[in-house]
Amino acid sequence: MVQNSLPSPRVELARAKVNLALHITGQRSDGYHLLESLVVFPQIGDRIALEPADKFELVLEGPFARDLDGPTDDNLILRAIRSFVTAAGQPQHPNIRVTLTKRLPIASGIGGGSSDAATTLRLLEDYTGIYFPEEKLHQIALSLGADVPVCLFPETQIMRGIGEQLSTGPSLPRCGVVLINPKVVVSTPDVFRTMKERDNPALPAPPEHFDSIKSLTGYLEDCRNDMQSAAMELCPQITEVISALSADTRIKIARMSGSGATCFGLCEPNDAMDIERDLRIDHPEWWIASGPIS
Ligand code: C5P
C-alpha cells in the first residue's frame, strides 16, 4: 500500500552559465545594458538540496560557502523563496531545509547566484506541486536579476534585451569546456562602468546546428565578449588566464564569460580533464573545473 508521506528530498545541480559570446549593443535609459549572448550550461555547478524540516533553514556549505555573506536578506536563494511564497499566496516560508553546496566561485561571471535562484524556483515548484505558468515564473525570475530567467532552463540559448528575451540556441557538437577563475572577485556594475564602447555590432546569426567543434569555434571567432577588455583593466589576472588557456594547443578558443573573471576554453570532450589536471599543476592558486558543455 502507498502511504502518504512527507515529500522526499530533492537535489539538483545549479549549472554555471557560460557566455560563449557576449555582445553589448546599447544601453537603456534606466542604465541597464542591451546585450546579445550565446549561452551554454556545462555540467559544472553548485548543488542545491531541498528537504522537509521542522522549520525553515538555509544551510551553506562547500568550498566557496565562506565567501557568501551568510543567509542575509540579500541572499538570492532567500529572495527566490520569498518571491515564490508571495506569488503562490502562501502565508509564510515552507518548513524546509535548503542546503547550498557552493562549488562555483562567487561574483565570477558564470551566473552562480542566478543559477542558484533559478534552480531554487524549479525545486520549489516540484516540492510544493505549485507550478506557475511559464510567463509568471519568468517574471519572478527577472525580478531577482537579469540573468535569472535564462538559468530556469539550463540549455543552449540566445539572450537578448537586458537578458530577459530568450530563444532556443543552436544545437552544439559534443564539446568539452575548461573553466578558470583566478580567484579575484570582479563587480559587474564596475565592469559596465569601465566599458568605453556600448554600441557594438550585433551577434552574428548562428546556424541552427553546428556539426563540429571546428564549425562552432569558426563562428565564435567572429564573435566577442565586449566586457572583456574593461574587465582586464580592473583585473589583470584575466589576461594571464586567457594566455594560459590559449597556450594549450588542445584548447580551440579561449574567452571570458559574463563580466569575468572566469574564462573558458573549448576542447574535445576527452581532453577536458587532462587539460584541467595540467593547468592545476602550473596554477594551484586558480579555481579550475572541466566537463562536457551540455
Ligand atoms: O540584474 P542584476 O542584478 O544581475 O545586475 C547587476 C547589475 O549589472 C545591475 O545593477 C546593472 O548595473 C548591471 N547590468 C546592466 N545591464 C544588464 C544586466 C546587468 O547594466 N543587462
Side-chain angles (χ1 to χ4, degrees):
M1 195 173 76
V2 178
Q3 298 258 316
N4 260 347
S5 59
L6 284 169
S8 52
R10 292 168 190 277
V11 182
E12 232 180 86
L13 184 67
R15 292 177 185 230
K17 169 225 66 168
V18 176
N19 303 88
L20 295 185
L22 175 56
H23 290 216
I24 305 295
T25 56
Q27 191 171 23
R28 293 196 322 197
S29 51
D30 64 0
Y32 268 79
H33 291 77
L34 297 170
L35 55 86
E36 298 190 356
S37 182
L38 171 60
V39 184
V40 293
F41 291 88
Q43 287 174 38
I44 300 166
D46 293 334
R47 175 185 183 273
I48 300 184
L50 196 152
E51 61 196 319
D54 297 333
K55 59 180 173 48
F56 176 77
E57 195 181 1
L58 175 62
V59 179
L60 305 174
E61 59 180 37
F64 291 102
R66 72 172 77 104
D67 294 341
L68 294 166
D69 292 334
T72 64
D73 283 355
D74 281 349
N75 181 290
L76 264 180
I77 289 184
L78 290 181
R79 287 181 53 207
I81 295 168
R82 272 203 303 272
S83 300
F84 184 95
V85 164
T86 306
Q90 305 274 304
Q92 58 186 36
H93 275 34
N95 286 342
I96 50 171
R97 180 180 306 109
V98 179
T99 305
L100 167 64
T101 310
K102 193 74 198 157
R103 296 193 290 217
L104 300 175
I106 64 151
S108 68
I110 48 175
S114 301
S115 198
D116 292 345
T119 304
T120 300
L121 291 175
R122 305 290 340 210
L123 281 168
L124 278 171
E125 279 197 328
D126 290 342
Y127 185 85
T128 59
I130 300 170
Y131 290 93
F132 292 110
E134 215 171 286
E135 245 174 60
K136 177 69 186 169
L137 193 66
H138 184 283
Q139 188 195 327
I140 297 171
L142 185 60
S143 74
L144 299 168
D147 273 354
V148 182
V150 75
C151 297
L152 283 171
F153 302 96
E155 286 160 15
T156 308
Q157 290 173 76
I158 305 275
M159 300 168 76
R160 291 198 175 79
I162 63 162
E164 86 288 15
Q165 295 168 25
L166 304 175
S167 52
T168 305
S171 63
L172 302 183
R174 283 188 65 243
C175 187
V177 68
V178 179
L179 299 179
I180 303 185
N181 182 279
K183 291 206 185 145
V184 179
V185 166
V186 176
S187 144
T188 302
D190 285 354
V191 179
F192 274 120
R193 265 193 297 275
T194 307
M195 273 172 40
K196 292 181 183 70
E197 204 51 70
R198 294 180 164 74
D199 294 306
N200 302 295
L203 188 74
E208 274 182 24
H209 174 68
F210 290 106
D211 58 4
S212 63
I213 297 181
K214 197 166 186 304
S215 66
L216 172 62
T217 55
Y219 166 79
L220 291 176
E221 298 287 358
D222 292 333
C223 303
R224 313 173 302 275
N225 180 336
D226 288 326
M227 303 186 83
Q228 190 167 317
S229 55
M232 281 172 164
E233 259 181 63
L234 296 173
C235 173
Q237 290 91 335
I238 294 169
T239 314
E240 276 176 59
V241 170
I242 293 283
S243 301
L245 283 167
S246 306
D248 192 310
T249 52
R250 294 164 295 184
I251 296 283
K252 314 292 183 196
I253 189 166
R255 180 169 285 155
M256 192 182 83
S257 175
S259 56
T262 305
C263 300
F264 67 86
L266 298 185
C267 59
E268 293 290 342
N270 292 343
D271 286 338
M273 265 174 70
D274 291 342
I275 299 171
E276 176 186 340
R277 196 183 43 233
D278 293 349
L279 283 164
R280 272 179 196 280
I281 293 167
D282 291 341
H283 297 282
E285 74 282 16
W286 289 350
W287 174 81
I288 309 178
S290 67
I293 213 167
S294 55

